[in-house]
Amino acid sequence: AQSVSQHNHHVILSEAASLELGCNYSYGGTVNLFWYVQYPGQHLQLLLKYFSGDPLVKGIKGFEAEFIKSKFSFNLRKPSVQWSDTAEYFCAASSTGGSYIPTFGRGTSLIVHP
Amino acid sequence: GAGVSQSPSNKVTEKGKDVELRCDPISGHTALYWYRQSLGQGLEFLIYFQGNSAPDKSGLPSDRFSAERTGGSVSTLTIQRTQQEDSAVYLCASSLQTGGAFFGQGTRLTVV
């Protein structure tokens, strides 16, 4: 069955610390990969996506993610977090053929202390 | 409109009543998804519409749940005989066929 796993459920960092959130997927065939962010009281927003090509994807607000096919991973990174990055982060995957329905991980709650 | 619009934003209903949740997707988006998000849980897929194709209903948790999409645009999710375990935030999203999904603000449903 298709699934997405996020290893860290809660992460607490101080401002300027580096961030890496893990995401692994289990899918047959090729996949599209996404990271979404949900700021407190706001709706889910797309941070970045990978469809094909360069496995290092850059998104908004200084975030990036690297697709490592051999590890079935798509980890999210940011070199220096800010208090405003406090949010819930969701990794998602969908098949490149068929229905394209994204499957989401359970999310990682990130709290950044000023 | 500029984004995905959902209504109502909040709904409190009594156990056993029926509710209808509405989603107005981004104009031109052929794909429409319903998910629900419970406290501390990820997003649970409910149903998917793509153009004029038959919807993928594989995520609907019971036959009390149904959805339709009229004219390839607005969608309504109906929950009949609501139960307390139906309490959640119901999220609608739309996308071009292969793009990332854009989400609405959600409808917070509370069954009392």
Side-chain angles (χ1 to χ4, degrees):
Chain A
Q2 300 163 340
S3 66
V4 175
S5 298
Q6 293 183 239
H7 317 299
N8 317 99
H9 296 303
H10 300 280
V11 175
I12 301 174
L13 295 172
S14 298
E15 276 195 320
S18 64
L19 171 71
E20 181 161 3
L21 302 182
C23 174
N24 285 92
Y25 63 92
S26 175
Y27 260 74
T30 53
V31 294
N32 297 323
L33 295 160
F34 311 86
W35 274 97
Y36 285 83
V37 61
Q38 187 171 28
Y39 297 104
Q42 297 189 26
H43 63 283
L44 277 159
Q45 301 173 43
L46 183 65
L47 258 184
L48 46 79
K49 60 186 177 184
Y50 171 80
F51 284 359
S52 64
D54 188 344
L56 184 62
V57 179
K58 294 193 183 296
I60 61 173
K61 304 186 180 185
F63 286 91
E64 66 179 29
E66 184 175 13
F67 169 53
I68 302 179
K69 188 175 181 180
S70 61
K71 296 184 178 180
F72 300 93
S73 71
F74 190 56
N75 292 355
L76 181 71
R77 300 193 295 247
K78 186 171 183 179
S80 177
V81 295
Q82 300 173 321
W83 174 77
S84 58
D85 293 324
T86 294
E88 191 90 14
Y89 292 82
F90 294 91
C91 181
S94 67
S95 296
T96 59
S99 64
Y100 306 105
I101 300 170
T103 298
F104 284 79
R106 295 186 64 173
T108 297
S109 172
L110 171 66
I111 297 175
V112 180
H113 288 302
Chain B
V4 177
S5 177
Q6 291 187 245
S7 61
S9 54
N10 282 284
K11 176 72 177 178
V12 180
T13 189
E14 291 181 353
K15 179 180 173 182
K17 300 284 189 183
D18 298 351
V19 294
E20 284 189 353
L21 312 180
R22 176 188 167 103
C23 172
D24 199 342
I26 293 173
S27 177
H29 279 188
T30 56
L32 186 147
Y33 317 78
W34 283 97
Y35 289 84
R36 75 177 171 184
Q37 185 177 24
S38 303
L39 190 63
Q41 303 292 316
L43 275 70
E44 176 188 3
F45 164 71
L46 297 177
I47 188 168
Y48 165 75
F49 296 89
Q50 174 57 260
N52 295 321
S53 303
D56 181 334
K57 304 178 182 180
S58 60
L60 294 179
S62 77
D63 59 7
R64 296 185 296 103
F65 288 73
S66 63
E68 63 178 20
R69 188 180 186 190
T70 54
S73 182
V74 173
S75 177
T76 302
L77 176 69
T78 301
I79 309 173
Q80 296 178 308
R81 306 181 302 281
T82 52
Q83 304 295 313
Q84 288 186 329
E85 61 263 28
D86 300 334
S87 296
V89 177
Y90 288 81
L91 297 170
C92 176
S94 70
S95 71
L96 298 171
Q97 185 172 6
T98 58
F102 292 81
F103 281 81
Q105 293 272 19
T107 294
R108 182 176 298 279
L109 175 66
T110 304
V111 182
V112 298

